[in-house]
Amino acid sequence: MSEVIALTPPMLLATAAAIAVAMWLVARLLRPGTRGPGGAKLPPGPPGYPIIGNLSQLGSLPHQNLRKLAQRYGPVMSLRLGSVPAIVVSSPHGAEMFLKTHDLVFASRPQTEATKHMAYGSKGLANTPYGSYWRHIRKLCTLELFTNVKIDSFAPMRKEEIGLLVDSLKKSSADGEVVNVSDKINGLIEDITYRMVIGRTKYENFDLKSVVEETLRLAGTFNIADFVPLLKPFDPQRMIPKMKKLGKLIDGILEKIIDEHEEAAQNSKESGSKPHRDFVDTLLSLKNKTLNPNDKDPHRIERTNIKAVLFDVAAGTIDTSGAGILWTLSELLRHPRTLKKLQAEIESLIGKDRTVEETDLNKLVYLDMVVKESLRLHPVAPLLLPHESREDIVIDGYFIPKKSRIIVNAHAIGRDPAFWSENSEEFYPERFEGSSLDIKGHDFQLIPFGSGRRGCAGMHLGLTTVKIVVSQLVHCFDWELPGNMAPGELDMTDKFGLSLYRATPLKAVPTYRLQI
């Protein structure tokens, strides 16, 4: 039985005072007259409740609930999340205004309890506020970690790991087993990430993947303490202790990884052998260097910066690629005609006596269409990462105040019937046939990786991983749902977080189909 906590008179007085002050602040926020130059008003939006504003209307699936609200209040909609003004963008035109035309104004990130406790105070790449430090750390990551040459250099490693997965599935095929595809894919992406980022397979004494998943789950939760500052000391959802605990766990893991790499580098130097080079080694080679020596406020790359960037890279790689692969395979299982068509394209180019190589991917036109369609319906980050306005601005006649939280609903944009027509909810890759529509942030009808200055730096890595894994699995195997389940019966419910995962594991029966 839970323990009852008695409120003493001083506690009651403090709580009442906090609520009174909060109500006063809310009353000020709700007063008419929040206008910009020329009398421009905030975008339309739903009325909110005292103190919490519209937080309760987000629900457990905010990407879906915000889409429904936008259908009523418009593609550029204002909310009040506690004391924080928020703008929700749900149309291609709106996304272009915020992420391209006025990109610089919205290039910053809001700072939250999650970034404070689990992201080294935003010293990495993803959540760092816009400024000199972010510009230089982005440039460093782009030139040192995410070049096409660097990513392509890991192709043999990806091939080896995918080969191990295929061998495992061949055994399951011979035994007629039902495979938990979700577990297999998540394990594959974890192994690829470990080898690419830290240069080895899993550690026995800690589980980085579980830590990443829990971190991103907490970071994706709308924490009322971030939006109602007066409630922060009370931490109503009891999230801050969990974040601090995870932050310490993350730091311990990264310290061990860095210590191990520094020791290996020293041993290589002493022995005269050629050192191994993974992402950690690349970052450590930059330690103690100054990012911007000519700036008034120069920034040095120190151990904390390395850990922050390293965790961003590991988290982004582990969390997104697996989700993209699983949604694509799920849609293919629901649409056997599409699966057969994709197999036919691959077979016509590759045959059945070898497997797909990464150098083949650019020739697989229908595969590209399938992946685009999957990311349209199931963007891995349905609300992207939030932006924050750096100054007051008027856009399309609407006033957007400084420090507004900007939420771009990629889920709603990808299903907008005004652009995608009446079949916008259907999985139909042929809609891209003969289309030049780009997935890389240039066409705002389809922005699963975001766009502009804060677009995803690891896009090439993510797309390459999704395409090579999907192509290998559909080329090597036929797939059926277990228990005579009809394709239309497959559960496609999603589970919200910073990344959008299937709510239930994907299970299927593979049948090996190649001649090797």
Side-chain angles (χ1 to χ4, degrees), residues 206-489:
F206 60 76
D207 185 354
L208 180 60
K209 180 176 179 296
S210 295
V211 172
V212 166
E213 289 177 348
E214 180 62 11
T215 300
L216 295 178
R217 185 191 69 79
L218 285 177
T221 302
F222 282 86
N223 180 12
I224 194 170
D226 288 325
F227 300 100
V228 184
L230 286 168
L231 294 181
K232 188 176 295 186
F234 301 98
D235 190 18
Q237 295 156 279
R238 301 303 300 157
M239 291 179 66
I240 294 176
K242 296 176 185 177
M243 291 176 181
K244 288 181 177 179
K245 182 179 178 180
L246 267 176
K248 290 181 180 179
L249 186 57
I250 291 165
D251 192 64
I253 292 172
L254 297 179
E255 281 288 334
K256 179 175 176 58
I257 291 171
I258 291 174
D259 285 345
E260 187 177 86
H261 279 72
E262 288 182 329
E263 182 179 349
Q266 182 62 32
N267 291 339
S268 295
K269 183 178 179 180
E270 292 174 357
S271 65
S273 60
K274 185 178 180 180
H276 175 76
R277 295 286 289 182
D278 52 39
F279 276 19
V280 178
D281 295 306
T282 301
L283 288 170
L284 285 174
S285 70
L286 303 168
K287 186 179 178 183
N288 296 325
K289 290 188 177 180
T290 302
L291 282 174
N292 47 340
N294 298 322
D295 285 7
K296 293 180 180 179
D297 184 22
H299 301 283
R300 285 170 58 86
I301 295 295
E302 298 177 347
R303 198 175 181 91
T304 299
N305 307 91
I306 291 172
K307 290 187 289 187
V309 172
L310 178 58
F311 187 73
D312 274 2
V313 172
T317 307
I318 288 176
D319 196 54
T320 56
S321 297
I325 292 165
L326 286 168
W327 283 119
T328 305
L329 292 175
S330 299
E331 289 290 4
L332 289 171
L333 284 169
R334 289 182 70 235
H335 298 86
R337 177 197 66 82
T338 304
L339 175 58
K340 293 296 182 186
K341 186 173 179 178
L342 179 56
Q343 287 176 327
E345 179 191 57
I346 297 173
E347 189 174 329
S348 68
L349 177 69
I350 307 300
K352 285 192 171 184
D353 57 355
R354 74 173 179 91
T355 56
V356 182
E357 302 281 351
E358 290 189 14
T359 52
D360 299 317
L361 295 179
N362 288 336
K363 305 170 190 174
L364 296 171
V365 178
Y366 194 62
L367 172 67
D368 186 64
M369 293 160 61
V370 165
V371 171
K372 279 182 179 178
E373 181 70 345
S374 176
L375 291 174
R376 178 185 74 83
L377 286 171
H378 310 285
V380 175
L383 300 180
L384 305 182
L385 285 178
H387 293 242
E388 185 177 78
S389 55
R390 302 171 58 228
E391 60 188 54
D392 292 347
I393 189 174
V394 175
I395 296 180
D396 285 351
Y398 294 130
F399 174 55
I400 314 297
K402 182 179 180 180
K403 290 286 185 180
S404 292
R405 187 76 50 95
I406 310 301
I407 300 171
V408 179
N409 194 339
H411 165 82
I413 292 171
R415 295 170 183 246
D416 185 354
F419 180 80
W420 299 106
S421 77
E422 66 279 357
N423 72 344
S424 62
E425 300 288 337
E426 298 177 18
F427 182 77
Y428 184 64
E430 285 78 4
R431 74 176 72 246
F432 292 103
E433 195 165 5
S435 170
S436 61
L437 196 68
D438 192 273
I439 200 172
K440 300 178 180 179
H442 305 300
D443 296 302
F444 292 87
Q445 301 88 349
L446 189 62
I447 49 171
F449 298 99
S451 182
R453 287 172 170 81
R454 300 311 290 244
C456 177
M459 176 176 57
H460 176 64
L461 173 61
L463 278 175
T464 299
T465 305
V466 171
K467 287 183 178 181
I468 190 59
V469 175
V470 169
S471 62
Q472 285 262 32
L473 294 187
V474 302
H475 183 45
C476 293
F477 301 94
D478 288 316
W479 295 88
E480 292 183 1
L481 293 170
N484 296 316
M485 181 190 299
E489 295 175 340

Side-chain angles (χ1 to χ4, degrees), residues 159-188 191 202 355 472-473 476-479 508-513 516:
K159 180 179 180 179
E160 181 182 338
E161 290 295 337
I162 295 170
L164 293 173
L165 172 61
V166 168
D167 288 343
S168 171
L169 292 173
K170 281 175 69 175
K171 184 179 184 302
S172 298
S173 170
D175 297 339
E177 293 178 354
V178 176
V179 172
N180 187 323
V181 183
S182 292
D183 282 351
K184 293 287 187 180
I185 295 301
N186 289 334
L188 169 69
D191 289 343
K202 301 172 186 175
T355 56
Q472 285 262 32
L473 294 187
C476 293
F477 301 94
D478 288 316
W479 295 88
V509 181
T511 302
Y512 189 65
R513 63 190 297 272
I516 53 174

